[in-house]
Amino acid sequence: MYEKKLVSYPRTDTRHITPSEFNYLAASVEKYQELIGQPFEIASKTPKKRFVDSSKVQEHYAIIPTKKVPTAATIARLAPLERNLYEEVVRTALAMFHRDYLYTETKVTTDVNGLPFFTTGKTEVDKGWKELFATPPKKGKEADEPALPPLEQNETVQSEIGIKEGATQPPKPYTEGQLIAMMKTCGKLVEDQTETDILKEIEGLGTEATRSNIIETIKKHGYISVTKNIVSITDKGRVLCQSIEGSLLASPSMTAKWETYLKKIGNGEGTGQHFLGSVSKFIYKLLEDVPVQLEQQKIDIVLPPSKSSSRKSYTATEVAPCPKCGNGMIVARKEFYGCSNYKNGCKQTFPGKFLKKNLTQAQVKLLCTKGKTNVIKGFTHANGQKFDAMLELKEGKLNLVFV
């Protein structure tokens, strides 16, 4: 419908419009009435702050009909779903010009042995703007709720008291729509009040235009599966959650921290160069720490039933005492060497491959015990040229030493 120029830009969560949009809607309100076949006496063409507020309009205003009022023939050619949605948008816009919905509400307080019990009754006086919408049948408690009987103040009534027994139920699985809502309100899960306020201001993770794409991406990569709109985590997704648990990657705080500095840039108090530099350092720090962290975690990886083993594992080999902490041992992992004392804060690691040359356990042992290797042949420069050099361990980092 947006491509057909019937409704405004749809990827928005703003619920207000500006005076400009209100004016063109007011000028064509009679035409829109004819379109849905539901004329009514216009109550007011004066904009109300509840709907028209430029300060609450972000990049895009709320979804409304465009200036292009379609003919009845155009509406008839729309698919049923398109027609229903278009009419819903039109009716919601027209509700601004309709009468208010009026009702009377009665609240009764009943004293039962000193404990107050409250009962509320509602009587409709004027349907007003609700005339534009079909009223769905009442369900559940609403359908069973009888009207309040005539009552007088201080009247004595009979009370029937009972105890309802039950058991708590586990939380229901999420739907895709609920995941999007959670992304918007994720600030509630952050303990730091400042970060909570920032996430509330920017409306959480992603934007209205990107949140659904984020969910599609994790579906595409097999981290979640969706059956009949119910979201379930896959084994692959569970491994991912276990892998990043406790890190900044798993916390909305990272978004809050970045948004804080972006706001500083907007106020002229920061620079893009500093921001990108911080992001770069963060990424390099992850590349350095995460492999060691993963090796220290016990993550169960369930393989397909056809495999002979239900878990994927390998044995770590001790190479030499750690030159940094002196308490742990440098052990050979799958693709690198790391200190076994990682959980206590030691982050000494050695790459399994340096300048396209595999480092052997003997060479790593020399680095740990002597601080320097013998000449290693076959390093590869960025330009593809081969060269020979020794490796030296200095302040926990590897340096090339040419003879």
Side-chain angles (χ1 to χ4, degrees):
M1 289 187 293
Y2 170 67
E3 292 172 352
K4 294 175 182 177
K5 303 189 185 305
L6 294 177
V7 299
S8 61
Y9 189 71
R11 301 178 95 174
T12 175
D13 57 355
T14 304
R15 306 190 72 177
H16 293 78
I17 57 175
T18 71
S20 177
E21 289 80 52
F22 182 85
N23 290 338
Y24 84 69
L25 289 172
S28 302
V29 65
E30 290 83 4
K31 295 179 182 178
Y32 291 119
Q33 285 180 313
E34 292 177 15
L35 206 59
I36 62 171
Q38 201 163 351
F40 59 87
E41 185 179 347
I42 296 170
S44 172
K45 285 192 177 183
T46 302
K48 296 179 182 178
K49 201 76 171 176
R50 183 178 179 184
F51 319 112
V52 186
D53 190 345
S54 298
S55 66
K56 293 185 178 179
V57 175
Q58 300 169 9
E59 291 85 359
H60 305 282
Y61 47 82
I63 304 172
I64 56 173
T66 60
K67 294 179 182 179
K68 177 185 176 182
V69 182
T71 63
T74 302
I75 295 295
R77 286 196 295 270
L78 293 175
L81 183 59
E82 286 182 318
R83 185 165 60 250
N84 289 342
L85 283 173
Y86 180 68
E87 284 198 8
E88 187 73 13
V89 173
V90 171
R91 290 175 189 274
T92 304
L94 287 176
M96 292 189 291
F97 306 95
H98 213 300
R99 302 185 310 279
D100 291 335
Y101 170 63
L102 300 178
Y103 62 90
T104 58
E105 186 174 273
T106 306
K107 187 175 182 180
V108 178
T109 303
T110 307
D111 183 289
V112 182
N113 290 337
L115 292 175
F117 288 80
F118 304 104
T119 311
T120 303
K122 190 164 73 173
T123 304
E124 199 171 79
V125 176
D126 184 354
K127 211 167 179 61
W129 57 266
K130 285 197 172 187
E131 291 176 346
L132 295 171
F133 303 91
T135 305
K138 293 183 177 180
K139 297 180 181 179
K141 291 182 179 179
E142 286 187 354
D144 301 333
E145 204 171 84
L148 285 177
L151 296 167
E152 294 182 8
Q153 193 163 349
N154 298 324
E155 179 182 349
T156 300
V157 295
Q158 295 294 318
S159 62
E160 191 174 313
I161 301 173
I163 297 175
K164 182 180 179 182
E165 294 185 7
T168 56
Q169 299 294 317
K172 294 181 179 179
Y174 289 111
T175 64
E176 288 193 66
Q178 288 172 323
L179 283 185
I180 290 176
M182 281 186 68
M183 292 169 74
K184 290 180 67 173
T185 59
C186 65
K188 293 188 290 186
L189 306 174
V190 177
E191 293 181 1
D192 187 289
Q193 186 58 46
T194 304
E195 293 179 353
T196 298
D197 294 340
I198 292 169
L199 288 166
K200 184 177 181 181
E201 182 182 339
I202 64 170
E203 295 192 330
L205 303 178
T207 66
E208 198 67 21
T210 61
R211 290 186 189 107
S212 59
N213 289 340
I214 292 171
I215 293 175
E216 286 301 317
T217 299
I218 61 176
K219 279 167 59 179
K220 180 181 176 182
H221 288 294
Y223 296 124
I224 62 171
S225 61
V226 181
T227 306
K228 295 182 179 179
N229 202 30
I230 298 299
V231 179
S232 303
I233 189 169
T234 63
D235 289 332
K236 182 179 179 182
R238 192 172 288 105
V239 169
L240 175 66
C241 293
Q242 292 176 7
S243 301
I244 65 173
E245 185 178 3
S247 71
L248 200 57
L249 281 174
S251 172
S253 295
M254 185 173 72
T255 297
K257 291 179 190 298
W258 287 0
E259 286 291 343
T260 300
Y261 197 81
L262 287 173
K263 186 177 287 188
K264 286 184 177 180
I265 295 176
N267 295 333
E269 300 171 5
T271 66
Q273 185 178 2
H274 183 273
F275 175 72
L276 292 175
S278 298
V279 174
S280 178
K281 289 178 183 177
F282 174 69
I283 292 172
Y284 278 111
K285 184 70 173 170
L286 286 176
L287 292 173
E288 182 180 331
D289 292 351
V290 170
V292 181
Q293 179 182 334
L294 292 180
E295 292 301 331
Q296 299 296 330
Q297 288 181 329
K298 293 182 179 178
I299 300 176
D300 292 333
I301 304 177
V302 180
L303 297 175
S306 58
K307 302 288 183 181
S308 58
S309 172
S310 61
R311 292 182 184 176
K312 191 176 181 180
S313 62
Y314 61 91
T315 304
T317 305
E318 293 185 349
V319 176
C322 177
K324 186 171 185 178
C325 69
N327 296 321
M329 294 291 293
I330 297 297
V331 295
R333 303 293 182 181
K334 191 175 182 181
E335 295 179 354
F336 71 102
Y337 300 87
C339 181
S340 61
N341 198 30
Y342 174 79
K343 288 186 178 179
N344 294 324
C346 183
K347 298 183 179 180
Q348 180 63 55
T349 61
F350 298 91
K353 184 178 286 189
F354 189 81
L355 295 178
K356 298 185 180 181
K357 178 69 176 180
N358 290 328
L359 297 186
T360 66
Q361 293 184 21
Q363 290 163 345
V364 173
K365 186 174 182 179
L366 283 173
L367 286 168
C368 294
T369 56
K370 306 293 185 183
K372 188 183 292 186
T373 68
N374 298 323
V375 175
I376 300 174
K377 297 183 178 182
F379 288 120
T380 305
H381 194 272
N383 60 13
Q385 185 178 355
K386 298 276 186 179
F387 65 93
D388 303 336
M390 292 189 296
L391 284 180
E392 179 184 44
L393 182 65
K394 202 165 188 178
E395 296 180 353
K397 303 294 181 182
L398 295 183
N399 296 319
L400 291 168
V401 178
F402 296 94
V403 182

